[in-house]
Amino acid sequence: MQATAVLLIHCPDQKGIVAAITDFLHNNDGNVISLEQHVDPNLGHFFMRVEWELTGFGISADKIEDYFATLVGNKFGMSWQLHFTDRKPRMAIFVSKASHCFYDILQRYSSGEWDVEIPVVISNHEALGPIAERFGIDFKVFPINKANKAEQEALEKELIKELNVDFIVLARYMQILSDDFCGSFPNRIINIHHSFLPAFKGARPYHSAYERGVKIIGATSHYVTPDLDEGPIIAQDVTHVSHRDDPRELVRKGKDIEKRVLSQAIRAQLEHKILPFGNKTIVFH
Amino acid sequence: MQATAVLLIHCPDQKGIVAAITDFLHNNDGNVISLEQHVDPNLGHFFMRVEWELTGFGISADKIEDYFATLVGNKFGMSWQLHFTDRKPRMAIFVSKASHCFYDILQRYSSGEWDVEIPVVISNHEALGPIAERFGIDFKVFPINKANKAEQEALEKELIKELNVDFIVLARYMQILSDDFCGSFPNRIINIHHSFLPAFKGARPYHSAYERGVKIIGATSHYVTPDLDEGPIIAQDVTHVSHRDDPRELVRKGKDIEKRVLSQAIRAQLEHKILPFGNKTIVFH
Amino acid sequence: MQATAVLLIHCPDQKGIVAAITDFLHNNDGNVISLEQHVDPNLGHFFMRVEWELTGFGISADKIEDYFATLVGNKFGMSWQLHFTDRKPRMAIFVSKASHCFYDILQRYSSGEWDVEIPVVISNHEALGPIAERFGIDFKVFPINKANKAEQEALEKELIKELNVDFIVLARYMQILSDDFCGSFPNRIINIHHSFLPAFKGARPYHSAYERGVKIIGATSHYVTPDLDEGPIIAQDVTHVSHRDDPRELVRKGKDIEKRVLSQAIRAQLEHKILPFGNKTIVFH
Amino acid sequence: MQATAVLLIHCPDQKGIVAAITDFLHNNDGNVISLEQHVDPNLGHFFMRVEWELTGFGISADKIEDYFATLVGNKFGMSWQLHFTDRKPRMAIFVSKASHCFYDILQRYSSGEWDVEIPVVISNHEALGPIAERFGIDFKVFPINKANKAEQEALEKELIKELNVDFIVLARYMQILSDDFCGSFPNRIINIHHSFLPAFKGARPYHSAYERGVKIIGATSHYVTPDLDEGPIIAQDVTHVSHRDDPRELVRKGKDIEKRVLSQAIRAQLEHKILPFGNKTIVFH
């Protein structure tokens, strides 16, 4: 795979945006691999993802940000992110005791399905340490409790900074992060919640689903914000259940959805396909 | 298709229930077509649906209820419903202005997919009258408003009684039924709600789904109780949506799910496969 | 909804295509509503759908074709289709005896869900005539048999031409069209086949599915070519089945998928979102 | 969980079967946990799965087989399997180089989701040895080629016998088993094929799917018979794809379905819920 650049752009909708961007690329001999745009007519807002080959592009990688700002971005009042696919994203994983999402991530990582670095796994329990070890990944325990939460989170933040982590994945991490911690990584923490939000927010959603007698259960991956289970949704999926499924069986069926939905969100993040806007996401193809 | 009898049974779980029921049928030369049982271990409660051929059965149809009560049902403290498939269920449809569920029902009815009588369509608007007329079904308008609600509902109840209606289908009927009306037909009114309950109860669920940025929308058919959108769920289904779908598009996609889920519930009702228990349903295969 | 123009374009992939097209629109004050492009790296081929507002566009509608050809299309060796959304597409429906797809189409048509003209329904049977009549649509019977096939198809072709039909929908039409007829309307005849192709081509697919013991059945909408059930696939969907489903039940479950999949294909056709290429389709969002 | 006995029964349909079985259990103080029966009206054949508690049952576990044969089974010409849930099934896994299904199985095994013994992993390659080692499972390489196939398979059969293996799982094992090997383990070898059979039998199904331009891909788990990809289907699932998905992407998406479908089949096998009959399966709930 050739190295490419990816721009994720949004701005108020106006005439000539697409032409301005494609001209910028064309005038500098950029070969467009993929372009997807979207206008939300209710908001009058424009969204775009464009990817082009770095080889042969007339502007060197380290100057693209600057040139794009001057020649296009600032004129249209754009917000944008610039990514390069020859730099591996760095992802930290937070786990507690459940191993299903963790293994699913590790298998994709170790088989080369994903192009990612995992510099550390962080946990509030020792339980999954041996698994991390088998895969040769650093495992750090931060034994968080009510009393030491601020202090432990500060240490976690320091480690994450030091390791140049791009984003954090909560792979069934059973601790609620403080507002301060959430606020330190806006749209950079991906959680998997074990219900199809907004139904069954908070604790024990499968038990609530059982009590309510639903015929479908689901899982939701979303960016974490200080409002519990209220952040921008990235992916959701569901499965059919029946009266035969007690809470234990719902938990079992749910795990398979959780694995799938969390991995789907991580993959979109790794491919720079998610553009958060307000409390929603644009997920490009 | 041969005429059959169907028993829907539930009672506290205890030893020997299945044997007692199958003996009752076998001793009277009943040929079992289908038997499905379920025990909810959390509730310690037993549920069963059994269907057998009437031809050759040693007890005449009009005495089965009595014999079953004496020989089996009362001993085990059972609750049960007895149905005969050679009697067509009678279903009243309530509509307002939306035609998609209505047409879907009428097509299944008129093509013979369903074995059902539709003695009347009731509406609070004139709009869909011509459609009912095309299909040769009586259409009655009850122009309900705040002031006349009690009086109009009383007339509706009278008509439903007079027509020997077994159950009512709210095919996107846009009036909230009074507690009194709901209470008059317990587990005999099927509604289609245009969200995956318990998410987005009440009005304008597609707009709420758009605001929340969900990646899945759904529909739910349920028995109507005085608690709005809180009755026992019969069937649910969903479809994937994306940032490209504005509320208008969600409404359009949702209609297809509503048709499907409502028809699924009606079919289960017609085949005597739904056993409501508390605020849930057992839906046999 | 404002009137828009839609261009469906494909050509060998090369640098500068997107910029050339967006410049053409921008230079003439075209406001792009939606743009989607795709490159098939295996084929080295470029595909695009772009839609822009006609109001304010600097080139009058009747000259767009000519200008685009001269200024962009011919330079890049493009093939393209140009559509205007203020012209209603004209669709002929072919039916036999099954009514489920037919009703589904008619409901969407009569409720205004689709922006389409249906100048005629053509059948080889009288059976569904009364339904067409109820909806006020012309119904013509062509009693095709082996002996008169060529002659009857010639009459059908004449009628279709005379009525300015844009495309034909085979809504469970149970006659195989001749190669000549198929060849007269390339990528303009949409069929619904009652299996997930390429499994179970030809007659009685639900019976074959039952014999094979599959756990999933499906339906496929595709453009008709002289090779039976081998044309470009537009849409597919499936449903789970089990050992409990005999062929009669598979047929019943299948009807719901057929309705859904055929309507999905028709909608994509009406919105000018399908770009056939070789034996495949690009279906834009 | 209490120890239970499971009977899987089939025989020509006749009156009194259910009563005879439930009487047998009831007369010996058996507490039925779950009973599911099915009659195929086309074949006139009866199928049943019944599970009851061993504690308190009047016949000791080692005599149930004999008593059931004498008192019920032989009278009705039944075929049956008897299983006890307090005996862990023993499963051998065959792998080649792909790790996705293998990891999925190992995660379920090591987290206790499944009640199973895995006495050995067999492979024709060294590649996945280190993974088996991490999980503490014996890994044996049989370097099969055209010349040594009969001899190597003989050694495999010997090992499987020696280890008391109940059934074999081919977790993307890329060797075709000989007719002799298949015949030695009828309905005891579960394969995962990477297409929705009967479409795309044989090699490289994702490439064939790409060539055909399907909008859905799938996976199928089935019992292995000497006829390649023609054995009784246990489970199938699918996912939607589009023109954007090249063969590489189809392979990636397909892996997720393969994992899911294979694990679904294994679970049904472990819970004694699959009853093969002819070239089909009854999969009880």
Side-chain angles (χ1 to χ4, degrees):
Chain A
M1 303 294 277
Q2 283 222 313
T4 59
V6 174
L7 265 173
L8 289 167
I9 299 164
H10 70 89
C11 61
D13 194 24
Q14 51 207 293
K15 278 198 187 180
I17 308 178
V18 180
I21 296 166
T22 54
D23 275 358
F24 170 75
L25 298 176
H26 183 55
N27 294 341
N28 295 291
D29 292 316
N31 193 30
V32 172
I33 298 295
S34 152
L35 180 154
E36 198 179 338
Q37 60 85 248
H38 168 65
V39 174
D40 187 318
N42 297 296
L43 304 173
H45 211 80
F46 174 92
F47 304 88
M48 187 167 169
R49 182 187 186 277
V50 61
E51 181 171 1
W52 72 98
E53 290 178 6
L54 280 173
T55 309
F57 190 54
I59 304 170
S60 63
D62 59 325
K63 292 192 176 155
I64 295 176
E65 180 87 34
D66 184 35
Y67 277 55
F68 181 75
T70 306
L71 297 175
V72 185
N74 295 341
K75 285 185 193 167
F76 289 92
M78 292 174 177
S79 301
W80 69 89
Q81 305 169 27
L82 176 65
H83 302 279
F84 299 105
T85 61
D86 54 3
R87 180 191 170 279
K88 281 196 190 188
R90 295 171 67 80
M91 163 171 99
I93 308 176
F94 280 48
V95 297
S96 292
K97 292 177 173 171
S99 69
H100 55 289
C101 288
F102 189 36
Y103 265 122
D104 196 65
I105 290 168
L106 293 175
Q107 185 273 323
R108 293 171 201 269
Y109 163 72
S110 69
S111 70
E113 182 182 316
W114 287 343
D115 214 26
V116 65
E117 299 282 354
I118 306 181
V120 71
V121 175
I122 286 173
S123 184
N124 55 336
H125 287 285
E126 302 280 357
L128 304 185
I131 300 177
E133 196 181 342
R134 280 185 212 157
F135 285 83
I137 303 175
D138 262 13
F139 186 84
K140 303 280 186 201
V141 175
F142 293 81
I144 287 188
N145 56 41
K146 258 191 182 165
N148 69 7
K149 187 158 193 163
E151 166 205 325
Q152 291 288 308
E153 283 195 349
L155 293 172
E156 289 174 346
K157 281 167 63 174
E158 203 172 306
L159 178 64
I160 286 162
K161 203 170 170 184
E162 184 187 308
L163 293 171
N164 270 317
V165 165
D166 293 303
F167 67 99
I168 294 165
V169 170
L170 309 183
R172 296 303 309 278
Y173 180 65
M174 300 307 277
Q175 273 282 332
I176 294 177
L177 302 173
S178 72
D179 289 9
D180 170 69
F181 193 94
C182 297
S184 303
F185 305 100
N187 295 327
R188 290 173 56 200
I189 309 174
I190 296 176
N191 185 40
I192 179 72
H193 182 72
H194 39 319
S195 81
F196 54 105
L197 291 174
F200 307 126
K201 277 185 282 195
R204 293 170 66 81
Y206 292 127
H207 288 79
S208 305
Y210 171 76
E211 291 302 329
R212 179 62 187 92
V214 294
K215 302 297 187 188
I216 279 179
I217 57 167
T220 304
S221 58
H222 62 94
Y223 286 121
V224 173
T225 61
D227 290 332
L228 187 65
D229 298 334
E230 291 281 8
I233 292 171
I234 302 166
Q236 298 188 288
D237 211 347
V238 299
T239 198
H240 286 268
V241 298
S242 83
H243 59 269
R244 279 180 305 271
D245 298 310
D246 63 8
R248 228 177 68 112
E249 182 66 10
L250 295 184
V251 166
R252 192 193 65 75
K253 287 192 172 175
K255 282 179 180 174
D256 280 1
I257 321 174
E258 294 163 30
K259 290 194 288 194
R260 205 154 77 225
V261 170
L262 180 56
S263 286
Q264 193 183 335
I266 294 173
R267 182 177 167 86
Q269 178 81 13
L270 292 175
E271 296 184 343
H272 314 298
K273 291 190 169 165
I274 314 176
L275 183 42
F277 183 71
N279 203 41
K280 300 188 190 180
T281 63
I282 312 294
V283 182
F284 294 103
H285 275 295
Chain B
M1 303 293 278
Q2 283 222 313
T4 58
V6 174
L7 266 173
L8 289 168
I9 298 164
H10 70 89
C11 62
D13 193 24
Q14 51 207 291
K15 278 200 187 178
I17 308 178
V18 180
I21 296 166
T22 55
D23 276 358
F24 170 75
L25 298 176
H26 183 56
N27 294 342
N28 295 291
D29 291 317
N31 193 31
V32 172
I33 298 296
S34 152
L35 179 154
E36 197 180 337
Q37 60 84 250
H38 168 64
V39 173
D40 187 318
N42 297 295
L43 303 173
H45 211 81
F46 175 91
F47 304 88
M48 188 168 168
R49 182 187 185 277
V50 61
E51 181 171 1
W52 70 97
E53 289 178 5
L54 281 173
T55 309
F57 190 54
I59 304 170
S60 64
D62 59 324
K63 292 192 178 154
I64 295 174
E65 179 87 35
D66 184 34
Y67 275 56
F68 181 77
T70 306
L71 298 174
V72 185
N74 295 340
K75 286 185 192 167
F76 289 90
M78 290 175 179
S79 301
W80 69 88
Q81 305 170 27
L82 176 65
H83 301 280
F84 299 105
T85 61
D86 55 3
R87 179 190 172 279
K88 280 196 191 186
R90 296 171 66 79
M91 163 171 98
I93 308 176
F94 281 48
V95 296
S96 291
K97 292 176 172 171
S99 70
H100 56 289
C101 287
F102 190 36
Y103 265 121
D104 196 66
I105 291 169
L106 293 175
Q107 186 273 325
R108 292 172 200 268
Y109 163 71
S110 69
S111 70
E113 183 181 317
W114 286 344
D115 214 27
V116 65
E117 300 282 354
I118 305 180
V120 70
V121 175
I122 285 173
S123 185
N124 55 336
H125 286 285
E126 301 281 357
L128 303 186
I131 300 177
E133 197 180 343
R134 281 184 214 159
F135 285 83
I137 302 174
D138 262 14
F139 187 84
K140 304 280 186 201
V141 175
F142 292 81
I144 287 186
N145 56 42
K146 258 189 180 166
N148 69 9
K149 186 157 193 165
E151 166 204 326
Q152 291 288 310
E153 284 195 348
L155 293 172
E156 288 175 346
K157 280 167 63 174
E158 204 173 305
L159 178 63
I160 286 163
K161 203 171 171 184
E162 185 187 309
L163 292 172
N164 271 317
V165 165
D166 293 302
F167 67 98
I168 293 165
V169 170
L170 308 184
R172 295 302 311 277
Y173 180 65
M174 302 306 277
Q175 273 281 332
I176 294 176
L177 303 173
S178 73
D179 288 9
D180 170 69
F181 193 95
C182 296
S184 303
F185 305 99
N187 294 327
R188 289 172 56 201
I189 309 175
I190 296 175
N191 184 39
I192 178 74
H193 181 73
H194 39 318
S195 82
F196 53 101
L197 290 174
F200 308 126
K201 278 186 279 194
R204 294 170 66 80
Y206 292 127
H207 288 78
S208 304
Y210 171 76
E211 291 302 329
R212 180 61 187 89
V214 293
K215 302 298 187 187
I216 278 180
I217 58 167
T220 304
S221 58
H222 62 94
Y223 286 121
V224 173
T225 61
D227 290 331
L228 187 66
D229 299 333
E230 291 281 8
I233 292 171
I234 303 167
Q236 297 188 289
D237 211 346
V238 298
T239 198
H240 286 268
V241 297
S242 82
H243 59 268
R244 280 182 304 270
D245 298 310
D246 63 9
R248 228 176 68 110
E249 182 66 9
L250 295 184
V251 166
R252 193 192 66 73
K253 286 192 171 174
K255 282 178 180 174
D256 281 1
I257 320 174
E258 295 164 29
K259 291 195 287 194
R260 204 154 78 224
V261 170
L262 180 56
S263 286
Q264 194 183 335
I266 294 173
R267 183 177 168 85
Q269 178 80 14
L270 292 175
E271 296 184 342
H272 314 298
K273 291 190 169 164
I274 314 175
L275 182 43
F277 183 70
N279 203 42
K280 299 189 191 179
T281 63
I282 311 296
V283 182
F284 295 102
H285 276 294
Chain C
M1 303 293 276
Q2 283 220 315
T4 59
V6 174
L7 266 173
L8 289 167
I9 299 165
H10 70 88
C11 63
D13 193 24
Q14 52 208 292
K15 278 199 186 179
I17 308 178
V18 180
I21 296 166
T22 54
D23 276 357
F24 170 74
L25 298 176
H26 183 56
N27 294 341
N28 295 291
D29 292 316
N31 193 31
V32 172
I33 298 296
S34 150
L35 180 155
E36 197 179 338
Q37 61 83 250
H38 168 65
V39 174
D40 187 318
N42 297 295
L43 304 172
H45 211 81
F46 173 92
F47 305 89
M48 187 168 168
R49 183 187 185 275
V50 60
E51 181 171 0
W52 70 97
E53 289 177 5
L54 280 172
T55 310
F57 191 55
I59 304 170
S60 63
D62 59 325
K63 292 191 178 154
I64 294 175
E65 179 86 34
D66 184 35
Y67 276 55
F68 181 76
T70 306
L71 298 174
V72 185
N74 295 340
K75 285 184 194 169
F76 289 91
M78 290 175 178
S79 301
W80 68 89
Q81 305 169 28
L82 176 65
H83 301 280
F84 299 106
T85 61
D86 55 2
R87 179 189 172 280
K88 280 194 191 190
R90 297 171 66 79
M91 163 171 98
I93 308 175
F94 281 48
V95 297
S96 291
K97 292 177 173 171
S99 70
H100 55 289
C101 288
F102 190 35
Y103 264 121
D104 197 65
I105 291 168
L106 293 175
Q107 185 271 323
R108 292 172 201 269
Y109 163 71
S110 69
S111 70
E113 183 181 316
W114 287 343
D115 214 27
V116 65
E117 299 282 355
I118 306 180
V120 70
V121 175
I122 286 174
S123 185
N124 55 336
H125 286 286
E126 302 281 357
L128 304 186
I131 299 177
E133 197 181 341
R134 280 183 213 159
F135 285 82
I137 302 175
D138 262 13
F139 187 83
K140 303 281 186 200
V141 175
F142 293 81
I144 287 187
N145 56 42
K146 258 189 181 166
N148 69 9
K149 187 158 192 164
E151 167 205 323
Q152 291 287 309
E153 283 195 349
L155 293 172
E156 288 175 346
K157 280 167 63 173
E158 204 173 303
L159 178 63
I160 286 162
K161 203 170 169 185
E162 185 187 309
L163 292 172
N164 271 316
V165 165
D166 293 302
F167 67 100
I168 293 165
V169 170
L170 309 183
R172 295 302 310 276
Y173 180 65
M174 302 306 277
Q175 273 282 330
I176 294 176
L177 303 173
S178 72
D179 288 8
D180 170 69
F181 193 94
C182 296
S184 302
F185 305 100
N187 294 327
R188 289 173 54 200
I189 309 175
I190 296 175
N191 185 40
I192 179 72
H193 182 72
H194 38 320
S195 82
F196 54 107
L197 291 174
F200 308 126
K201 277 186 280 194
R204 294 170 64 79
Y206 292 127
H207 289 78
S208 305
Y210 171 76
E211 291 303 329
R212 180 60 188 90
V214 293
K215 303 296 188 189
I216 278 180
I217 58 167
T220 304
S221 58
H222 62 94
Y223 286 121
V224 174
T225 61
D227 290 331
L228 188 65
D229 300 333
E230 290 281 8
I233 292 171
I234 303 167
Q236 298 188 289
D237 211 348
V238 299
T239 198
H240 286 268
V241 298
S242 82
H243 59 269
R244 279 181 304 269
D245 299 310
D246 64 7
R248 228 178 65 111
E249 182 67 10
L250 295 184
V251 167
R252 192 192 66 73
K253 286 191 172 174
K255 282 179 181 174
D256 281 1
I257 320 174
E258 295 164 28
K259 291 196 289 195
R260 205 154 78 223
V261 170
L262 180 56
S263 286
Q264 193 183 336
I266 294 173
R267 181 176 168 86
Q269 178 80 15
L270 292 175
E271 296 184 343
H272 314 298
K273 291 190 170 165
I274 315 175
L275 182 43
F277 182 71
N279 203 42
K280 299 188 190 179
T281 63
I282 312 294
V283 183
F284 295 103
H285 276 295
Chain D
M1 302 295 277
Q2 284 221 313
T4 59
V6 174
L7 266 172
L8 289 167
I9 299 164
H10 69 89
C11 63
D13 194 24
Q14 51 207 292
K15 278 199 186 178
I17 308 177
V18 180
I21 297 166
T22 55
D23 276 359
F24 169 75
L25 298 176
H26 182 55
N27 294 341
N28 295 291
D29 292 317
N31 192 31
V32 171
I33 298 295
S34 151
L35 180 154
E36 197 180 338
Q37 60 85 248
H38 168 65
V39 174
D40 187 318
N42 297 296
L43 304 172
H45 211 81
F46 174 92
F47 304 88
M48 187 167 167
R49 182 187 187 278
V50 61
E51 181 171 1
W52 70 97
E53 289 178 5
L54 281 173
T55 310
F57 190 54
I59 305 170
S60 63
D62 60 325
K63 292 191 177 153
I64 294 176
E65 180 87 33
D66 184 37
Y67 276 56
F68 181 77
T70 307
L71 298 174
V72 186
N74 295 341
K75 286 185 191 164
F76 289 90
M78 291 175 178
S79 301
W80 69 89
Q81 305 170 27
L82 176 65
H83 301 280
F84 300 106
T85 61
D86 54 2
R87 180 190 170 278
K88 281 196 190 187
R90 296 170 67 79
M91 163 172 98
I93 308 175
F94 280 48
V95 297
S96 291
K97 292 178 174 171
S99 69
H100 55 290
C101 288
F102 190 36
Y103 266 121
D104 197 66
I105 291 169
L106 293 175
Q107 185 273 322
R108 293 173 201 268
Y109 163 71
S110 69
S111 70
E113 182 181 317
W114 287 343
D115 214 26
V116 66
E117 300 281 355
I118 306 181
V120 71
V121 174
I122 285 173
S123 185
N124 55 335
H125 286 286
E126 302 281 358
L128 304 186
I131 300 177
E133 197 182 340
R134 280 184 213 159
F135 285 83
I137 303 175
D138 261 14
F139 185 83
K140 304 278 187 202
V141 175
F142 293 82
I144 287 186
N145 56 42
K146 258 190 181 167
N148 69 7
K149 187 159 194 165
E151 167 205 324
Q152 292 288 309
E153 283 195 348
L155 293 171
E156 288 174 347
K157 280 167 63 174
E158 204 172 304
L159 177 63
I160 286 163
K161 203 172 170 183
E162 184 187 308
L163 292 172
N164 271 316
V165 165
D166 293 301
F167 67 99
I168 293 165
V169 170
L170 309 183
R172 298 301 311 276
Y173 180 65
M174 301 306 276
Q175 273 283 330
I176 294 176
L177 303 172
S178 74
D179 288 9
D180 170 68
F181 193 94
C182 296
S184 302
F185 304 100
N187 295 327
R188 288 173 57 199
I189 309 175
I190 296 176
N191 185 40
I192 179 73
H193 181 73
H194 39 319
S195 81
F196 53 101
L197 290 174
F200 308 124
K201 277 186 280 194
R204 293 171 65 80
Y206 292 127
H207 288 78
S208 304
Y210 171 76
E211 291 303 329
R212 180 61 187 90
V214 294
K215 302 297 187 188
I216 279 179
I217 59 168
T220 304
S221 59
H222 62 94
Y223 286 121
V224 173
T225 61
D227 290 332
L228 187 65
D229 300 332
E230 291 281 9
I233 292 171
I234 303 167
Q236 297 188 289
D237 210 347
V238 299
T239 198
H240 286 268
V241 298
S242 83
H243 58 269
R244 279 181 305 270
D245 298 311
D246 63 9
R248 228 176 67 112
E249 181 66 10
L250 296 183
V251 167
R252 193 192 65 75
K253 286 192 172 174
K255 282 178 179 173
D256 281 1
I257 321 175
E258 294 163 30
K259 291 195 290 194
R260 203 154 77 225
V261 170
L262 181 56
S263 286
Q264 193 183 334
I266 294 172
R267 182 177 167 86
Q269 178 80 13
L270 292 175
E271 297 184 342
H272 315 296
K273 291 191 168 164
I274 314 176
L275 183 42
F277 183 70
N279 204 41
K280 300 189 192 179
T281 62
I282 313 294
V283 183
F284 295 103
H285 276 295

